[in-house]
Amino acid sequence: MNSQTPSGRARPLPPEERRAALITATLALITEHGVKVTTRQIAEAAGVAEGTIFRVFPHKDGLVRVAVETALDPAPLLDELAALDLATPLPERLTELAAILQRRLTSIFNLLHSVGMHGPPEGSTGQPTGTGKLHPPNEEIHQAVVRVLEPDADRFRYPLPEVARLLRLLTFAGSHPRITDNEPLSPEMIAAVLLDGVRQPEPAEPDRPARPDQAPEPGGAAEPGRPAEGSGSGHHADHNRPDRP
């Protein structure tokens, strides 16, 4: 709440704080009310006069757009990724990584649904552009994911950038409400599928005993009652006897 002047009126906020308060209030309200939220509701939640909104933003739609773009700012996500302990064993670290990515995606999906958008605004923070290359903030996220995987680079079948891409694709698909029918994959399942796939490991085949009609391997053990090949007795030995005609 704003501090008050001796007259009981709210003390004016500095311009940057006033702008931040309006954005924070708008984000909370549009998640609940969508674009039908009123400027009066926003002003009350931010603790400012309604007219203050129009001294900062030209209209409500402009405020909503800036609020959405603020929610897409990758800085908080990058801070979370940087704080991950790289000494944590790979399965647990990958699960934490998937959970962080999933929380961000879920919040974005919910926000965009509330404002009736099918995707982030064109050119907004973190959204790939139509050039076929990653937008710089999106590339930052990608590289941050690669960094979390680096301690175990030799344990993957694919290069780390490709592993990071697969993780993000799987997390996106496994978190989107329409793709999952509102039953998102858990971070544990995302990590398990990426690391181990979905096929049960095949049990090792036990050594099979030799069939009775199977000839022994050359140089191997002879069958019971039969001399081993090259043992100096039997057919080959008779052939070499000096008294043989």
Side-chain angles (χ1 to χ4, degrees), residues 2 4 17 61 97 111 123 184 194 201 222 227 232:
N2 297 340
Q4 293 185 334
E17 288 186 27
D61 289 347
L97 179 54
L111 177 63
L194 188 71

Side-chain angles (χ1 to χ4, degrees), residues 41-129:
Q41 289 173 313
I42 294 171
E44 289 178 354
V48 299
E50 188 173 0
T52 301
I53 294 175
F54 303 105
R55 289 197 291 272
V56 181
F57 298 95
H59 43 67
K60 188 189 77 174
D61 289 347
L63 172 54
V64 169
R65 180 183 178 88
V66 171
V68 171
E69 291 177 348
T70 299
L72 298 177
D73 182 359
L77 171 65
L78 293 172
D79 289 343
E80 278 197 88
L81 295 177
L84 279 175
D85 183 1
L86 302 186
T88 304
L90 178 59
E92 289 82 355
R93 188 174 358 116
L94 197 58
T95 299
E96 290 182 42
L97 179 54
I100 291 172
L101 295 174
Q102 188 174 59
R103 281 197 299 271
R104 173 179 167 84
L105 286 169
T106 300
S107 67
I108 291 174
F109 293 152
N110 292 339
L111 177 63
L112 296 181
H113 175 74
S114 297
V115 297
M117 292 182 181
H118 298 294
E122 182 69 24
S124 62
T125 302
Q127 174 71 0
T129 64

Side-chain angles (χ1 to χ4, degrees), residues 90-91 94-95 98 167 170 186-196:
L90 178 59
L94 197 58
T95 299
L167 172 62
L170 182 58
S186 68
E188 291 78 10
M189 182 175 287
I190 292 171
V193 168
L194 188 71
L195 288 178
D196 306 315

